[in-house]
Structures are given as structure tokens and as C-alpha cells.
Amino acid sequence: IIYIGSTEISVTIKQSKKNSLQMVEKASYSIGIGKEAFETGKISAEKVDRIVEIVSNFKQLSIEYGAERIVLFASTAIRESENKYYIRDRLYQETGIVLEVISDSELKNIIFMSNLKVLNDADYLKNNAIITFIGSGNLGIAFYEDMSINFLQNILIGTIKLYEIAKNVDKYSDKMNIMVKEQLNTYFNFLPTFLPKSNIKDFIVTGRTIDTIKALCKAEEKGDISFISKSSLTAFYNEIVALNADSLAIKYNLNREFSNELVIATIVIENLLEMTEAETIVVPNIFFFDIVFYQMMLPKQYEEIKTKFYGYAIESSRKLAQMYKSYGKHIEFVDELASAILKKLSKTNRFREKEIIYLKIAVILHNIGKYINPDKHYLNSSYIIQKTDIIGLSEEDRKMISLIVKY
């Protein structure tokens, strides 16, 4: 898998052996396209040439290791660039690989599925938890309660964008901390409404900067999971807010731009810790796209985790319906009726698992628009479904469900 991120392009080569994934090789090359894309709206011709060159080199490396399939992904930086179609065409013409630009919700689903595969295999997921992804271009937050993810929020602002907002006060790190906190509050102030009823015990976090934070906080390694003590994280947070990015880069021998992201990521973690009062910081040692490797090489294990995520999608939909005061006996009756009709139709039609899930969620959410206006509520329901993040569902999935509700 080759991935074009906001700050680097990476390649990860794995093989399946004894019903598990094994690392063969990984490499990365720093290339700052995120900042350019966010500031100018496109990626320069010089950077495009470099992207094509790096991807070509990684393709050759993959072939040398005997890779049978090469997949190329990109997310926020490419997706938000005006010249993304030109980049995609250049890559295909010169490498023969089709670039798949994934949406923000698809990226979060991939990352959270990879997280939960590791945590489930380690038999760790037993407590209520907040699951967080801190990316250069976006943030993702999910709540895990009663053995299910019942809330997901994708936030289209990441460490690079947050730094661009706060960079004018960079030399005054304490003021930068305040500005970032104020900006985060505009995105986080609604989260307490969705917090699990019982205490959150675990703060599960992944992201580009997390490995460095983990090392600097002297995390304890236990198999495929690392643990950062809350006291260590707080001490590190207090240290970095007293420094600016230049001082941090010099002290820890880091790239300055990466130091900016490191400061912002730590502020994000500290803010969420304060809000949730989680006791343990958990870092699954994963490659973000591990679940894609499972899909390609170990499909049975992939199907198991996918089915689990469909269950999360249903539970998340129920919670959404409850929030809009529209989950009750009527929904339960329609659910029973729809299931009975589907059962009869299944005798002469073969429905895919995803289609059954579409119907189930459409039934649960078809009345939520009444919360806004009972008149033609199906239009409001359809709109809410399209605009609301639901764990396990892509934008295309939500669009299909919204159309079922609408018509």
C-alpha cells in the first residue's frame, strides 16, 4: 500500500503467513503538500513531479519484493486540491496505478477498523473508551460504550490547519496554547452531550505524531499495544507549552514543521483528556491501512470485523434516533414489518449484507426529520442522514440510506 499523506508519502509491504499479517518492508519520504494545498488550493507542478517520482520508486520497490498487488491511496491534501484530477491522471499515465482518493469518513472507518482489530485480538476492549485519530488534515473522535461504537464525529481540521490558525502567536507558546484551545472548543463543545453515561476509562489514540509522543513520554510496550501514563502526558504537555516550536525542535532533534504538529497534537490530547477524565492512554501499534491488507489477503478476518462494524452502525443509528426523539414503538413496529417483508423477498432474491443494513438503518432513522418539522419530514430525515457521520458507513452508504428514507 502506497499512501500520499499531507506531510509524507509512505509505502508498506506486508505478507500473510500463518493466518496473520507480517511486515516485509516500509519506507517513507517527507513531502509537505498539505500546507500548500490548504493555503493555495492546489499542489504546485514541482511537487506533482516529485509525487510521481516517489510513487514510481515505491512501485519499483514493491515489485522487487514480489508484491502481487499495489494499491495507491490519498486523502485530505489531494482531495482538497483543485488539481487532484490532473495528479491522478499523471500518476496513472506514468505508473499505471489508479489513485484512490478516499473521503474523510472512509479514512476514519479504515483507521478505526484497524485499531479495533488490534485491540480485539489483544482482548483489550472491555472498558468505555474514547477513540481518537489526530491527522495533519483532520481529526476523528468516536465513543466506545457497552461493547459498541455509538458515536463518531469527523472534524475537517487537523494539526496543520490548527497551526496555520495559531502561527501568528507561535513565538509566545502559552498564547498559542490558548488560541488552539479556543479553536478546538468550537468543535468540541458539543461532545459532552454524547459522552457515555458511565465513566470513560481508556483514551485510545493514533496519528502521525503519536509514535513520537509515545517515545518522549516513555510509553510502556505490551505486545501490539503501548500505554502512556496520564502523569507522563501531562508533564510533557506542561513542558511543550512553555516552549515554542524552534526550541522543541532543537531540544529533541526534530524537524520544525513536525514540531509544530507535535505541539498541536499534544494540546488536542490534553483537551480531550480533560473533557473525558480518561484514566489510561492507549496506543495501538498499527499501520492505518492494516484493515485493507486483511481485506486483500485474509478476507475471512476482514468479514468478521466488517460485520462487527455494521453492528456499530446500527447502534449508532439508534442513538441518533433517540437524540432526535424518534425512537420508540413505531420504529420497532416498522422494523418488524420490514424484516418480515425482506424475509419473504429473500426466497426469490439474493440481498447483500450491506443492502440489509441499509434497510435496517433507514427504518431506524426515517422519522428523525420530524424533530425539525413534521411536514414532509422525510426530506429533513434524508438531509440529516447525508450530513451525519455514522461509524461503519461511507458517504456513499449514507447517500443510499438517505434516498431510501426520502422515497
Side-chain angles (χ1 to χ4, degrees):
I1 294 175
I2 303 172
Y3 175 57
I4 305 173
S6 297
T7 56
E8 67 177 20
I9 301 176
S10 65
V11 60
T12 303
I13 304 167
K14 292 195 174 187
Q15 66 179 1
S16 61
K17 193 171 182 180
K18 295 181 179 179
N19 212 31
S20 64
L21 296 177
Q22 290 188 347
M23 178 68 72
V24 174
E25 183 62 278
K26 63 178 180 178
S28 62
Y29 192 95
S30 295
I31 179 168
I33 59 174
K35 183 179 178 183
E36 184 176 68
F38 304 149
E39 287 182 345
T40 68
K42 63 181 181 179
I43 297 169
S44 66
E46 181 183 355
K47 288 278 178 69
V48 173
D49 290 341
R50 195 76 186 100
I51 289 169
V52 173
E53 181 184 357
I54 295 166
V55 171
S56 296
N57 291 339
F58 283 163
K59 175 188 175 182
Q60 185 58 38
L61 178 67
S62 302
I63 291 170
E64 289 172 3
Y65 274 102
E68 296 177 3
R69 184 177 175 189
I70 301 172
V71 181
L72 177 60
F73 289 123
S75 54
T76 311
I78 299 289
R79 188 176 62 243
E80 295 189 5
S81 300
E82 295 172 6
N83 55 341
K84 58 179 173 286
Y85 298 115
Y86 167 71
I87 297 169
R88 186 182 65 183
D89 290 345
R90 277 282 309 275
L91 284 164
Y92 181 69
Q93 289 169 5
E94 299 190 35
T95 70
I97 307 174
V98 177
L99 172 65
E100 184 177 347
V101 181
I102 53 180
S103 70
D104 190 60
S105 60
E106 288 171 322
L107 177 63
K108 297 305 182 304
N109 280 326
I110 287 170
I111 292 169
F112 288 154
M113 287 175 81
S114 298
N115 271 325
L116 287 160
K117 180 73 174 73
V118 169
L119 294 166
N120 277 323
D121 287 350
D123 195 27
Y124 185 80
L125 271 179
K126 296 177 180 178
N127 300 319
N128 288 349
I130 177 172
I131 306 173
T132 306
F133 168 72
I134 303 174
S136 299
N138 49 68
L139 305 174
I141 298 169
F143 293 141
Y144 183 84
E145 181 182 17
D146 298 331
M147 308 300 286
S148 176
I149 294 176
N150 52 32
F151 172 81
L152 170 68
Q153 181 65 45
N154 294 317
I155 300 172
L156 298 179
I157 189 167
T159 52
I160 291 178
K161 291 182 180 180
L162 282 167
Y163 177 72
E164 288 302 305
I165 293 169
K167 67 181 179 182
N168 291 331
V169 293
D170 178 33
K171 62 181 180 179
Y172 306 110
S173 193
D174 58 334
K175 290 184 180 178
M176 182 180 181
N177 178 35
I178 293 168
M179 183 170 286
V180 172
K181 279 189 169 187
E182 288 178 352
Q183 187 67 31
L184 288 173
N185 187 55
T186 63
Y187 295 98
F188 290 173
N189 60 2
F190 66 92
L191 289 178
T193 306
F194 299 93
L195 283 172
K197 294 175 183 177
S198 54
N199 291 341
I200 288 178
K201 296 287 181 67
D202 294 327
F203 184 97
I204 301 166
V205 60
T206 53
R208 169 175 139 80
T209 59
I210 304 305
D211 281 345
T212 303
I213 292 174
K214 186 174 72 173
L216 295 176
C217 290
K218 296 180 174 58
E220 181 185 2
E221 303 272 349
K222 289 186 178 179
D224 289 330
I225 305 175
S226 300
F227 298 89
I228 303 172
S229 70
K230 193 170 182 178
S231 59
S232 295
L233 192 285
T234 301
F236 180 63
Y237 167 79
N238 291 333
E239 177 188 356
I240 66 168
V241 295
L243 301 171
N244 59 29
D246 285 328
S247 301
L248 190 67
I250 292 168
K251 180 171 182 177
Y252 291 112
N253 192 28
L254 301 170
N255 173 281
R256 189 186 188 281
E257 288 191 2
F258 183 77
S259 296
N260 293 332
E261 290 192 68
L262 189 68
V263 171
I264 301 297
T266 309
I267 293 172
V268 171
I269 294 171
E270 182 67 19
N271 271 259
L272 289 171
L273 274 175
E274 187 178 317
M275 179 189 302
T276 61
E277 298 182 352
E279 299 171 2
T280 307
I281 302 159
V282 182
V283 183
N285 299 323
I286 64 159
F287 169 53
F288 296 155
F289 293 97
D290 267 349
I291 202 67
V292 180
F293 278 120
Y294 279 103
Q295 185 178 11
M296 291 190 291
M297 295 188 291
L298 296 167
K300 186 176 179 181
Q301 292 189 42
Y302 170 75
E303 289 299 322
E304 288 173 359
I305 195 74
K306 187 179 76 170
T307 298
K308 184 167 287 191
F309 262 68
Y310 282 152
Y312 294 161
I314 291 169
E315 288 304 313
S316 183
S317 299
R318 285 199 182 103
K319 186 153 189 175
L320 185 64
Q322 289 165 0
M323 186 183 79
Y324 283 101
K325 314 293 184 188
S326 66
Y327 190 80
K329 290 183 177 180
H330 169 69
I331 299 299
E332 292 173 357
F333 171 73
V334 176
D335 188 19
E336 287 179 11
L337 191 62
S339 297
I341 294 171
L342 184 68
K343 187 176 180 180
K344 286 194 174 183
L345 289 173
S346 296
K347 294 177 181 178
T348 54
N349 298 273
R350 174 178 280 181
F351 294 101
R352 293 179 299 157
E353 183 184 21
K354 182 176 279 192
E355 291 170 332
I356 297 170
I357 297 299
Y358 285 168
L359 178 62
K360 184 85 172 175
I361 293 175
V363 167
I364 293 169
L365 298 178
H366 78 275
N367 264 354
I368 58 177
K370 287 185 177 180
Y371 188 85
I372 298 172
N373 188 342
D375 186 34
K376 295 185 177 179
H377 66 277
Y378 50 88
L379 296 176
N380 294 323
S381 298
S382 177
Y383 179 81
I384 293 169
I385 292 165
Q386 284 197 60
K387 299 300 179 182
T388 302
D389 295 310
I390 300 174
I391 190 73
L393 300 182
S394 66
E395 290 178 9
E396 192 63 33
D397 293 333
R398 298 200 309 270
K399 184 178 180 180
M400 183 63 70
I401 293 167
S402 75
L403 290 173
I404 294 171
V405 168
K406 186 176 181 179
Y407 295 107

